[in-house]
Amino acid sequence: SLSFDQPIFIQSSVVPTCPEGSTLSNELTECDNVTNGTTIFNVTLSLTECVAELQNGGVYPLEVSVPGFDSFIVNIEGSCNCECDSNTLINMSLCVNGELRCGRCYCDDGW
């Protein structure tokens, strides 16, 4: 099993691939009766909101522990900009002498 203190702004999904001879637990997040082999955990982390720690290139360190073994840090970086910022259109008929971003025209200096 994996263990981590999950803040409220992170949603997670943990799916283990259990080694031969072990069984998937009732909770479906850990393997029981592991005697030999490697358990692989597929973890998906999603941000549910853009918190201050992740704005302006911020990083949130999430400590993940494996009982009986060591722990490690996963650094989570958020992208808190409007998705359409990366799709800027320049000199379009709807926005001459400027940039069309997120449905709004941003005029060039002097216009």
Side-chain angles (χ1 to χ4, degrees), residues 9-95:
F9 59 88
I10 295 177
Q11 185 177 42
S12 68
S13 167
V14 178
V15 179
T17 301
C18 302
E20 190 174 322
S22 63
T23 55
L24 189 60
S25 70
N26 290 338
E27 293 83 29
L28 303 177
T29 58
E30 60 186 51
C31 299
D32 293 328
N33 304 318
V34 176
T35 57
N36 243 338
T38 302
T39 302
I40 298 171
F41 292 93
N42 292 307
V43 179
T44 303
L45 301 172
S46 303
L47 295 176
T48 58
E49 62 182 284
C50 186
V51 294
E53 294 99 313
L54 297 174
Q55 294 178 6
N56 300 317
V59 175
Y60 181 85
L62 180 67
E63 183 176 8
V64 180
S65 299
V66 182
F69 295 95
D70 209 352
S71 63
F72 57 93
I73 300 291
V74 175
N75 288 318
I76 298 172
E77 297 179 21
S79 177
C80 297
N81 297 330
C82 174
E83 284 184 27
C84 56
D85 277 344
S86 61
N87 295 322
T88 300
L89 303 174
I90 299 172
N91 291 324
M92 298 298 296
S93 61
L94 297 173
C95 187

